[in-house]
């Protein structure tokens, strides 16, 4: 049943006491019957508006009839899920509080572990990996499981049978995609947060409908449906925040929340493709050095993927680096191209490597473009298909030993840097406590001495001029400065960690000096009076080291994680290499972005920290606020410079025609892979 504003829409009940000769008006696709023609027209016009959502696929902006067709097609795709995997999936779904994307990922991971009769996969046979099919599961005990399999030839015919252990089996790619799992989740539930199965479906598969202990008091049954429990006034006063965002109600003591700004959606590609675009680009930027692919901007990648030219160097190089990784680390792809294609991947031969990959993965909706690509008409391929091909290439590359070793290196480096940062924080805290205790002890002893020196105060004040002339006060001031400097050095002079000590002192110091945000540097004249060791200790403050480690940890980032979610489970992503904040809808088919400081401020001032999700999101936005503003300001300046440059091109175009490839708007066409090694 299509949704209106993401909620079920009830059909009109048939009129009662109908006469056989009575004139009626019926809507064809809903079978609703009306006595009054105006009521019929109003309802029909409502169905023709593009305000409906397909419940199965999550597609929005449809008419009611289009949503019905979409639901029918989505339901057919759901049939691809094997019958034996449906019950385990439904048990995971029932009463889950996960967002749809996280829930689907969790289900997919769990179903990969399910090896059932009829599953086709690969097995090790005579030190080779061969296709096979499970005929029988032999459960020896809780840990040891063996399988009777049938070895298959290239035509999926049974050659022979054998018994193998679970360690000798390798799973194929799942026969159904995550999009199909999303449709499955939507079709079998009538609400989310928590997800609740239709009663008939739960009974059919013998799944409990009892509310779990952790949700009791939050949800209850009402006319057979699960609904959130309404709190009474005296119960509301006892609420301990933060709580689930959907349970938060307006309160008189709430601050004034601003209206949330609408994200921009002016992408060059279909809005449902933005997620794949970001994933692929982030992979290339994270592993650029390993892949030998010099960086490029997200906007250039977006323009290149939608450009009507078959040999855009940026896309050719991006494909080529993935092909090289697969040749080195994927035996199946190596066998497909070895001795069949030229060893060098060029602007001409790259399409042959791509066609071999499409033939290998055997995905029908992508293989339909194989002939088009072979004829050199890559630009005719749909943008969605281009990004799906990139996604398949990236997923395949992530399974290679080369990339996995790099991933392990990234993780180990981040752990080492994190441990070093924590070690320095603990040491700095201990030093601060020691200094405070020393100052406290010194002030106590000074007080006791002052009691014996009261009689000397008059002599001291009377003799001030003589002391100034002899430099006594100057000496006293210098001693105070020296004491203050020693205190600061003790407070912030932290030893290098084991990881940092491996670096040369010159590299570490130059890195600190290059950073504009680092704290004060002592006056050169004053610092010359210090010994060299004290000078270094003063400059290498704890705050400087903390910021240094933060930057180093970021360099070893494996993948970008989202900042957090708002109350409606929209996800917020910040890619520091791009600067913008991207907003992803819960169904992952709608995207937008914020690109200015004003929009960022509007977002932060609209979040209610009484809710668990929005409080966590606000914390992350405040943590990175300075850096996000810096990147947004940088992008704004770049855009202004680009507009100015475009205007100058237009103004001089009446006198001198600029070469077409020199147009600043088409800078992506001039991309050169500077990290490529021939």
């Amino acid at each position: 049943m299509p949704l209106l504003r993401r909620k079920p829409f009830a059909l009109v009940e048939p009129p009662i006491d109908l006469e056989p000769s009575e004139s009626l008006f019926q809507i064809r696709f809903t079978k609703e019957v009306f006595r009054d023609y105006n009521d019929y027209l109003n309802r029909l016009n409502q169905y023709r508006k593009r305000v409906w959502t397909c419940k199965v696929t999550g597609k929005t902006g449809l008419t009611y009839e289009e949503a019905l067709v979409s639901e029918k097609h989505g339901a057919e795709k759901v049939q691809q899920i094997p019958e034996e995997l449906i019950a385990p999936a439904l048990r995971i779904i029932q009463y889950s509080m996960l967002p749809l994307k996280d829930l689907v990922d969790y289900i997919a991971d769990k179903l990969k572990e399910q090896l059932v009769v009829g599953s086709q996969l690969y097995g090790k046979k005579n030190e080779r990996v061969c296709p096979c099919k499970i005929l029988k599961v032999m459960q020896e005990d809780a840990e040891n499981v063996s399988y009777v399999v049938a070895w298959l030839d290239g035509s999926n015919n049974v050659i022979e049978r054998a018994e193998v252990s679970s360690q000798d089996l390798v799973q194929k790619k799942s026969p159904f995609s995550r999009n199909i799992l999303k449709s499955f989740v939507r079709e079998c539930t009538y609400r989310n947060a928590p997800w609740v199965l239709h009663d008939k479906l739960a009974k059919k598969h013998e799944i409990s409908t009892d509310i779990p202990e952790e949700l009791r008091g939050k949800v209850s049954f009402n006319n057979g449906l699960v609904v959130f429990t309404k709190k009474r006034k005296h119960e509301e006063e006892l609420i301990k925040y933060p709580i689930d965002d959907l349970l938060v109600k307006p309160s008189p003591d709430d601050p004034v929340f601003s209206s949330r700004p609408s994200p921009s959606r002016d992408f060059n590609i279909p809005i449902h493709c933005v997620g794949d675009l970001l994933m692929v680009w982030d992979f290339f930027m994270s592993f650029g050095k390993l892949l030998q692919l010099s960086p490029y901007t997200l906007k250039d990648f977006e323009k290149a993927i939608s450009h009507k030219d078959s040999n855009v160097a940026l896309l050719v190089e991006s494909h080529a680096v993935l092909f090289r990784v697969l040749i080195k680390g994927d035996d199946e792809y190596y066998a497909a191209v070895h001795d069949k294609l030229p060893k060098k991947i060029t602007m001409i031969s790259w399409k042959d490597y791509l066609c071999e990959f499409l033939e290998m993965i055997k995905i029908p909706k992508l293989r339909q473009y194989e002939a088009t690509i072979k004829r050199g008409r890559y630009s005719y391929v749909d943008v969605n298909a281009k990004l799906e091909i990139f996604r398949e290439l990236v997923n395949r590359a992530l399974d290679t030993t080369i990339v996995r070793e790099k991933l392990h290196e990234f993780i180990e480096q981040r752990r080492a840097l994190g441990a070093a940062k924590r070690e320095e924080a603990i040491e700095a805290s201990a030093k601060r406590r020691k200094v405070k205790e020393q100052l406290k002890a010194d002030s106590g002893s000074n007080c006791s001495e002052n009691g014996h020196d009261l009689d000397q105060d008059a002599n001291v004040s009377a003799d001030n001029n003589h002391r100034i002339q002899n430099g006594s006060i100057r000496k006293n001031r210098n001693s105070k400065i020296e004491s203050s400097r020693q205190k600061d050095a003790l407070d912030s002079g932290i030893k290098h960690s084991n990881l940092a000590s491996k670096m040369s002192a010159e590299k570490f110091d130059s890195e600190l000096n290059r950073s504009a945000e680092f704290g004060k540097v002592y006056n050169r004249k004053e610092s010359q009076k210090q010994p060299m060791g004290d000078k270094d200790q003063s400059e290498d403050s704890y705050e400087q080291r903390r910021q240094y480690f933060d930057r180093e940890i970021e360099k070893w980032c494996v993948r970008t994680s989202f900042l957090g979610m708002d109350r409606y489970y929209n996800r917020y992503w910040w890619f520091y290499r791009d600067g913008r904040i991207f907003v992803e809808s819960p169904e992952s088919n709608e995207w937008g972005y914020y690109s200015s400081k004003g929009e960022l401020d509007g977002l932060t001032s609209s979040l209610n920290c009484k809710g668990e999700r929005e409080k966590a999101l606000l914390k992350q936005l405040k943590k990175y606020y300075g850096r996000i503003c810096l990147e947004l300001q940088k992008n704004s300046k770049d855009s202004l410079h680009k507009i100015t440059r475009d205007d100058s091109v237009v103004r001089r175009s009446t006198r001198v025609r600029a070469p077409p490839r020199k147009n600043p708007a088409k800078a992506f066409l001039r991309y050169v892979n500077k990290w490529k090694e021939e």
Side-chain angles (χ1 to χ4, degrees):
M1 183 69 67
L3 305 177
L4 180 64
R5 298 182 183 88
R6 302 191 180 188
K7 294 182 180 179
F9 184 78
L11 299 180
V12 174
E13 293 291 333
I16 57 174
D17 302 330
L18 289 175
E19 297 292 335
S21 59
E22 189 174 356
S23 297
L24 299 172
F25 305 94
Q26 185 183 49
I27 295 178
R28 170 178 50 81
F29 43 84
T30 63
K31 308 303 179 187
E32 291 172 292
V33 177
F34 299 86
R35 280 193 170 113
D36 184 74
Y37 182 68
N38 287 331
D39 292 342
Y40 163 78
L41 279 183
N42 289 336
R43 180 55 65 99
L44 188 60
N45 288 334
Q46 176 71 18
Y47 288 147
R48 286 174 176 171
K49 292 179 182 178
R50 293 192 171 276
V51 295
W52 300 91
T53 301
C54 171
K55 185 179 184 298
V56 178
T57 64
K59 290 182 180 178
T60 58
L62 305 175
T63 66
Y64 190 92
E65 192 169 9
E66 288 173 345
L68 284 174
V69 174
S70 177
E71 287 183 354
K72 182 181 177 182
H73 292 163
E76 291 172 355
K77 291 180 180 179
V78 169
Q79 303 303 319
Q80 297 178 23
I81 300 178
E83 183 67 30
E84 59 272 11
L85 298 180
I86 290 179
L90 293 177
R91 290 191 182 91
I92 297 172
I93 295 169
Q94 182 74 311
Y95 293 119
S96 172
M97 291 292 291
L98 292 173
L100 181 60
K101 187 173 182 180
D102 292 344
L103 178 59
V104 165
D105 289 342
Y106 184 69
I107 295 172
D109 292 339
K110 287 296 181 182
L111 294 187
K112 279 182 182 178
E113 302 171 2
Q114 300 280 341
L115 295 179
V116 296
V117 174
S119 299
Q120 290 194 15
L121 59 169
Y122 293 102
K124 295 179 182 178
K125 177 186 177 186
N126 299 329
E127 298 183 355
R128 294 177 57 196
V129 177
C130 304
C132 63
K133 180 171 67 174
I134 295 179
L135 300 178
K136 188 176 180 181
V137 180
M138 310 286 288
Q139 184 80 33
E140 297 177 8
D141 52 49
E143 296 182 356
N144 300 317
V145 182
S146 61
Y147 302 89
V148 176
V149 301
W151 300 109
L152 307 175
D153 60 13
S155 304
N156 285 340
N157 296 322
V158 177
I159 304 173
E160 58 178 310
R161 301 186 180 191
E163 184 176 334
V164 298
S165 65
S166 57
Q167 291 80 7
D168 293 332
L169 294 176
V170 181
Q171 282 261 30
K172 274 187 177 181
K173 188 180 176 182
S174 176
F176 46 87
S177 67
R178 278 171 166 72
N179 285 334
I180 292 176
L181 273 180
K182 288 180 182 178
S183 300
F184 174 74
V185 172
R186 293 191 190 99
E187 186 182 31
C188 63
T189 57
Y190 65 83
R191 68 156 298 138
N192 59 1
W195 297 94
V196 185
L197 299 174
H198 293 294
D199 193 46
K200 290 183 180 179
L201 190 62
K203 288 180 180 178
K204 177 183 176 181
H205 294 277
E206 299 180 350
I207 296 171
S208 174
T209 56
D210 295 336
I211 297 175
E213 185 67 31
E214 62 270 16
L215 292 179
R216 289 178 186 173
K218 293 184 178 180
V219 296
S220 62
F221 284 103
N222 184 10
N223 295 327
L225 300 178
V226 173
V227 295
F228 278 104
T229 303
K230 293 184 178 180
K231 303 277 185 180
R232 295 178 182 176
K233 286 186 178 179
H234 69 276
E235 291 176 328
E236 289 178 358
E237 296 173 0
L238 302 176
I239 294 176
K240 292 185 178 180
Y241 295 105
I243 59 174
D244 187 88
D245 298 67
L246 296 175
L247 299 177
V248 176
K249 293 182 178 179
S251 175
D253 60 344
D254 284 342
V256 178
F257 297 109
S258 65
S259 58
R260 191 162 303 171
S262 298
S264 302
R265 304 185 189 276
D266 53 340
F267 298 104
N268 293 323
I269 62 173
I271 203 165
H272 62 275
C273 300
V274 176
D276 285 341
L277 181 85
L278 290 169
M279 184 274 287
V280 173
W281 175 78
D282 192 44
F283 171 81
F284 282 137
M285 297 304 100
S286 298
F287 293 93
K289 290 185 179 179
L290 174 69
L291 300 171
Q292 296 178 356
L293 181 71
S294 57
Y296 46 76
T297 66
L298 176 61
K299 291 182 179 179
D300 281 350
F301 186 45
E302 183 184 355
K303 290 176 182 177
I305 209 78
S306 58
H307 188 60
K308 299 302 181 182
D309 189 350
S310 295
N311 281 331
V312 179
L314 187 148
L315 296 182
V316 174
E317 290 294 337
S318 300
H319 280 95
V321 295
L322 293 173
F323 296 150
R324 293 187 190 104
V325 168
L326 294 182
I327 290 171
K328 292 178 182 178
D330 190 304
D331 294 338
E332 188 179 357
Y333 187 69
Y334 174 77
V337 301
H338 184 59
D339 295 334
K340 189 175 179 181
L341 298 176
K343 291 185 178 180
K344 191 173 181 181
I345 304 173
T346 65
M347 296 290 284
I348 297 174
S349 65
W350 77 278
K351 63 181 183 297
D352 299 320
Y353 281 86
L354 181 55
C355 291
E356 289 295 334
F357 177 76
L358 295 178
E359 188 175 340
M360 181 185 74
I361 60 177
K362 296 177 180 177
I363 298 178
K365 65 178 180 178
L366 298 181
R367 288 201 65 183
Q368 65 175 319
Y369 296 103
E370 193 175 333
T372 305
I373 295 171
K374 278 185 179 178
R375 291 197 299 270
R377 297 183 177 180
Y378 177 77
S379 60
Y380 287 28
V381 177
D382 183 64
V383 170
N384 185 36
K386 288 180 183 178
L387 287 169
E388 284 191 31
I389 292 170
F390 263 125
R391 187 183 63 201
E392 294 296 330
L393 280 165
V394 168
N395 289 337
R396 196 88 178 194
L398 284 169
D399 288 333
T400 61
T401 306
I402 302 170
V403 177
R404 286 195 171 276
E405 286 177 354
K406 195 67 176 178
L407 278 170
H408 181 71
E409 180 186 347
F410 277 30
I411 294 169
E412 288 303 314
Q413 289 288 354
R414 282 175 65 86
R415 284 177 180 170
L417 286 163
K421 182 181 174 183
R422 287 192 297 272
E423 181 184 334
E424 290 206 355
I426 293 170
E427 192 173 346
S429 179
K431 283 184 177 290
R432 280 195 292 269
R433 282 198 302 271
K434 186 176 179 180
V435 169
K436 287 179 181 178
E437 291 170 0
Q438 184 66 39
L439 290 173
K440 189 175 181 180
D442 291 346
S443 72
S445 62
N446 289 338
C447 288
S448 62
E449 290 174 2
N450 289 340
H452 298 286
D453 295 337
L454 290 175
D455 295 335
Q456 300 177 10
D457 287 348
N459 295 331
V460 170
S461 59
D463 202 33
N464 268 344
N465 292 333
H466 180 71
R467 290 175 63 193
I468 290 173
Q469 292 173 2
N470 288 279
S472 300
I473 288 182
R474 188 182 302 110
K475 182 179 178 181
N476 188 40
R477 185 184 299 116
N478 288 341
S479 66
K480 287 183 179 179
I481 292 173
E482 185 68 25
S483 175
S484 175
R485 183 181 297 119
Q486 290 175 357
K487 175 183 175 298
D488 291 339
L490 283 171
D491 192 18
S492 59
I494 310 302
K495 294 180 181 179
H496 289 187
S497 67
N498 292 334
L499 179 68
S501 63
K502 294 179 183 177
M503 307 176 186
S504 64
E506 293 84 358
K507 179 182 177 182
F508 193 82
D509 290 338
S510 63
E511 173 64 24
L512 294 179
N513 294 332
R514 277 198 302 269
S515 300
E517 73 261 25
F518 283 162
K520 296 179 181 178
V521 178
Y522 284 115
N523 185 284
R524 181 173 297 175
K525 292 183 179 179
E526 290 292 333
S527 64
Q528 286 174 352
K529 299 177 184 179
Q530 289 182 282
M532 184 60 70
D534 292 341
K535 175 184 175 182
D536 291 343
Q537 191 177 25
S538 299
E539 290 180 355
D540 295 343
S541 67
Y542 167 65
E543 182 61 23
Q544 292 172 336
R545 294 218 186 284
R546 187 186 66 78
Q547 294 181 15
Y548 173 80
F549 279 119
D550 285 344
R551 288 197 311 278
E552 287 299 309
I553 289 172
E554 193 172 78
K555 290 177 185 177
W556 295 98
C557 180
V558 176
R559 59 185 290 271
T560 302
S561 299
F562 62 94
L563 294 171
M565 295 181 285
D566 61 21
R567 65 176 304 176
Y568 299 111
Y569 293 98
N570 295 307
R571 296 187 181 203
Y572 292 79
W573 300 78
W574 181 58
F575 298 86
Y576 74 92
R577 297 180 182 93
D578 178 76
R580 292 175 288 177
I581 294 178
F582 288 85
V583 187
E584 176 192 10
S585 69
E587 294 82 14
S588 304
N589 60 355
E590 290 186 5
W591 288 81
Y593 66 86
Y594 296 127
S595 58
S596 70
K597 182 178 180 296
E599 290 175 329
L600 173 62
D601 292 338
L603 170 63
T604 54
S605 60
S606 70
L607 299 174
N608 190 342
C609 60
K610 287 184 177 180
E612 295 168 341
R613 291 185 292 280
E614 294 201 348
K615 181 179 181 181
L617 173 60
L618 185 59
K619 181 180 177 181
Q620 289 297 98
L621 288 172
K622 287 181 177 179
K623 178 180 178 181
Y624 295 106
Y625 181 82
R627 291 195 56 201
I628 294 174
C629 289
L630 192 66
E631 292 298 327
L632 291 176
Q633 185 179 10
K634 178 183 174 183
N635 285 351
S636 177
K637 287 182 179 178
D638 291 344
S639 299
L640 183 61
H641 177 65
K642 181 180 175 184
I643 292 169
T644 306
R645 203 166 47 178
D646 288 349
D647 289 343
S648 67
V649 170
V650 171
R651 284 195 298 270
R652 69 189 178 89
S653 63
T654 57
R655 292 172 285 134
V656 180
R657 184 176 296 277
R661 293 178 68 85
K662 292 295 183 181
N663 186 341
K666 295 187 177 181
F668 68 95
L669 294 175
R670 300 191 294 274
Y671 172 80
V672 176
N673 185 5
K674 298 178 182 178
W675 293 355
K676 181 179 178 181
E677 293 184 6
E678 297 295 341

